[in-house]
C-alpha cells in the first residue's frame, strides 16, 4: 500500500485561493503525472529547451481549490460535488489546471473506497482521449490512514513543487 499526504497551499496567479495538493509516498502527484505524460507530450509539444519542457510537464496541473471542492471527505472518497462529477466515467478530478480553473486541464481518476482501502485508478486526461489510460498507479491506501491525512492536511506556505519544479519540504 502507498502512503498519502494531503496538503493545503496558497495558489499563485489570477485566482488566489488555498489549494489541495497531494503527495504519494513522499512524491508530489504532479511528478507522477509528468512522468506518465512525458512521451505523450513529446509527440505534440516542444519548448525551447529540455529544462522548459520539464517545467511545463511538472506544472501542467495545479491543485484543486478548497472553496470549489467543498466537502473534501466526499470528494476524495469518490463522491464529488455535481460540478466535479462525471457520471459517464465515474471519475473524480484529483488535480486541476495550473491556471486555477480546475476544468481547464484536470487529472481524473476513479476513486474506489472499501472499509479497508481507498484506490485511485485508472488516470485519464479528458481532453486527450487518444492518450487513453495514463501509465500511473494504481495507488492503494489504507483507508483509516487516508481519512486521517485528509482530516489534517499538511499546511505549507507555497506550492510544494516550487517555481522551478524542485520539491519543497
Amino acid at each position: 500500500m502507498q502512503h498519502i499526504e494531503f496538503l493545503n497551499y496558497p495558489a499563485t496567479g489570477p485566482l488566489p485561493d488555498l489549494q489541495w495538493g497531494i503527495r504519494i509516498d513522499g512524491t508530489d502527484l504532479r511528478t507522477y503525472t509528468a512522468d506518465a505524460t512525458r512521451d505523450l507530450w513529446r509527440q505534440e509539444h516542444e519548448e525551447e529547451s529540455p529544462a522548459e519542457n520539464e517545467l511545463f510537464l511538472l506544472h501542467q496541473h495545479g491543485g484543486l481549490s478548497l472553496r470549489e471542492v467543498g466537502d473534501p471527505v466526499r470528494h476524495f472518497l469518490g463522491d464529488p460535488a455535481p460540478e466535479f462529477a462525471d457520471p459517464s466515467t465515474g471519475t473524480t478530478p484529483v488535480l486541476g489546471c495550473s491556471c486555477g480553473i480546475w476544468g481547464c486541464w484536470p487529472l481524473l481518476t476513479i476513486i474506489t473506497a472499501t472499509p479497508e482501502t481507498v484506490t485511485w485508478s485508472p488516470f485519464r486526461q479528458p481532453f486527450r482521449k487518444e492518450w487513453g489510460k495514463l501509465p500511473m498507479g494504481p495507488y492503494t491506501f489504507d483507508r483509516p490512514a487516508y481519512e486521517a491525512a485528509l482530516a489534517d492536511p499538511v499546511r505549507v506556505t507555497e506550492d510544494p513543487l516550487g517555481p522551478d519544479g524542485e520539491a519543497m519540504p
Side-chain angles (χ1 to χ4, degrees):
M1 278 194 219
Q2 282 79 37
H3 171 76
I4 193 164
E5 288 177 276
F6 290 96
L7 312 165
N8 291 156
Y9 64 94
T12 56
L15 301 171
D17 192 6
L18 286 177
Q19 303 288 303
W20 283 102
I22 298 159
R23 286 186 188 136
I24 298 173
D25 294 336
T27 300
D28 195 292
L29 182 59
R30 294 172 292 173
T31 300
Y32 291 116
T33 306
D35 292 342
T37 60
R38 187 170 283 108
D39 290 338
L40 297 165
W41 275 118
R42 272 194 196 117
Q43 298 170 23
E44 61 182 86
H45 184 272
E46 284 192 40
E47 290 293 332
E48 294 177 17
S49 72
E52 286 177 357
N53 254 345
E54 198 58 25
L55 280 177
F56 168 80
L57 287 167
L58 289 169
H59 291 284
Q60 66 183 302
H61 291 289
L64 296 173
S65 162
L66 266 66
R67 184 183 55 223
E68 287 183 312
V69 165
D71 182 349
V73 173
R74 284 187 61 195
H75 183 94
F76 289 107
L77 285 175
D79 184 21
E83 60 271 22
F84 282 106
D86 183 349
S88 67
T89 61
T91 57
T92 298
V94 290
L95 291 174
C97 184
S98 59
C99 77
I101 300 170
W102 79 268
C104 182
W105 189 251
L107 177 66
L108 304 177
T109 192
I110 295 174
I111 300 175
T112 306
T114 72
E116 295 83 29
T117 63
V118 178
T119 301
W120 292 8
S121 182
F123 291 84
R124 295 185 180 275
Q125 190 355 281
F127 300 115
R128 293 294 191 281
K129 293 189 187 316
E130 66 276 13
W131 288 3
K133 295 176 186 177
L134 296 176
M136 56 190 288
Y139 303 116
T140 301
F141 313 101
D142 173 76
R143 184 166 177 167
Y146 183 97
E147 288 184 358
L150 188 53
D152 190 21
V154 176
R155 286 167 177 75
V156 295
T157 59
E158 60 187 342
D159 183 329
L161 276 183
D164 59 0
E166 292 293 320
M168 307 296 282

